[in-house]
Amino acid sequence: MKISRRIIVWLLGASLGTVSIWAGTAMGETAFKDTPSGARALPGDVLPPFGGIDPDGTFHATPRDVPAGFNMGPNRPPESTARGPSLAVAITAAEAALNVCRDAGYRVGVAVIDSAGKARVLLNADGTDGSHGFVAMRKAEAALAFDKPSSEVNDLAQKDKSVLKRVTLAMLLDGGAVPLHVGSTVVGAIGVSGSAGKIIGAQDEACARAGRDAVAAQLK
């Protein structure tokens, strides 16, 4: 089945100054490409160009004949080979961080990411509004990119314009995240958000360090 050439343009706000475009030709001639959600989107936060609506309300139906390569079925190769904590290790780290904060009286969210910045685990404690895990991931993105605790990146960004230029719209520089290492190589990061306190991010970062320490010997 053929479809006419079309271009779906997602306008995500003049304040972001970003436009993401997907162009499709005849069905099967061009594989579908996931459409980034915008400049503030977290790594991995992508959507297919069908099954949803445009900002103007236009619905793009899921095609009946999916192009080859878009859905390879079961037992397909890994989508990512980026180095990072295994799922089991990431869960252990996240739970350790969450529990340390809980024992201190705080409900938080925790994010563990791999070396490509993709989420391995997002956890939100009971009683949170669910936002903290995503904030924690943004802190973790900063810790990963700079291979430093996010609190240190915050300090550097205020003094060094070259550091500030490397900060992306997907990052948050508040304290609360630390990188994960195997030897001297950074393989991911863990971030925590939600404990607040007199020094913003200080308790979050203490919990993140506890999560990192809980799995330091298990990282490979």
Side-chain angles (χ1 to χ4, degrees):
M1 185 178 82
K2 298 284 187 179
I3 60 173
S4 61
R5 181 175 180 82
R6 62 179 180 171
I7 297 179
I8 303 171
V9 179
W10 297 83
L11 298 177
L12 297 169
S15 62
L16 295 183
T18 59
V19 177
S20 297
I21 299 177
W22 172 76
T25 55
M27 191 69 74
E29 293 179 11
T30 302
F32 284 88
K33 301 293 186 182
D34 281 352
T35 305
S37 299
R40 291 189 182 275
L42 293 163
D45 182 16
V46 294
L47 298 170
F50 50 77
I53 62 172
D54 283 344
D56 65 4
T58 301
F59 174 65
H60 300 282
T62 303
R64 299 173 67 180
D65 300 316
V66 180
F70 184 78
N71 185 351
M72 295 180 285
N75 302 315
R76 59 190 182 190
E79 293 178 336
S80 173
T81 58
R83 193 174 184 183
S86 68
L87 176 60
V89 169
I91 290 173
T92 297
E95 288 184 334
L98 188 149
N99 291 338
V100 167
C101 265
R102 179 201 61 199
D103 293 345
Y106 301 101
R107 299 183 183 94
V108 299
V110 185
V112 180
I113 62 176
D114 64 18
S115 59
K118 304 294 181 65
R120 297 300 291 137
V121 169
L122 290 174
L123 292 182
N124 285 294
D126 292 335
T128 66
D129 66 6
S131 66
H132 297 302
F134 297 103
V135 175
M137 186 172 173
R138 294 183 183 279
K139 294 180 182 182
E141 295 296 336
L144 173 68
F146 290 90
D147 193 10
K148 297 179 183 296
S150 55
S151 59
E152 292 185 21
V153 181
N154 190 314
D155 292 339
L156 289 171
Q158 297 178 56
K159 305 170 184 176
D160 189 338
K161 290 184 179 180
S162 67
V163 170
L164 191 58
K165 288 180 180 180
R166 294 172 55 196
V167 176
T168 72
L169 290 172
M171 295 178 187
L172 190 68
L173 305 189
D174 288 341
V178 293
L180 301 173
H181 292 96
V182 174
S184 60
T185 301
V186 61
V187 296
I190 178 171
V192 176
S193 176
S195 66
K198 291 183 179 180
I199 300 176
I200 294 176
Q203 181 63 46
D204 289 336
E205 202 156 296
C207 296
R209 291 179 186 277
R212 176 201 61 190
D213 294 346
V215 299
Q218 302 175 51
L219 292 170
K220 300 178 181 180

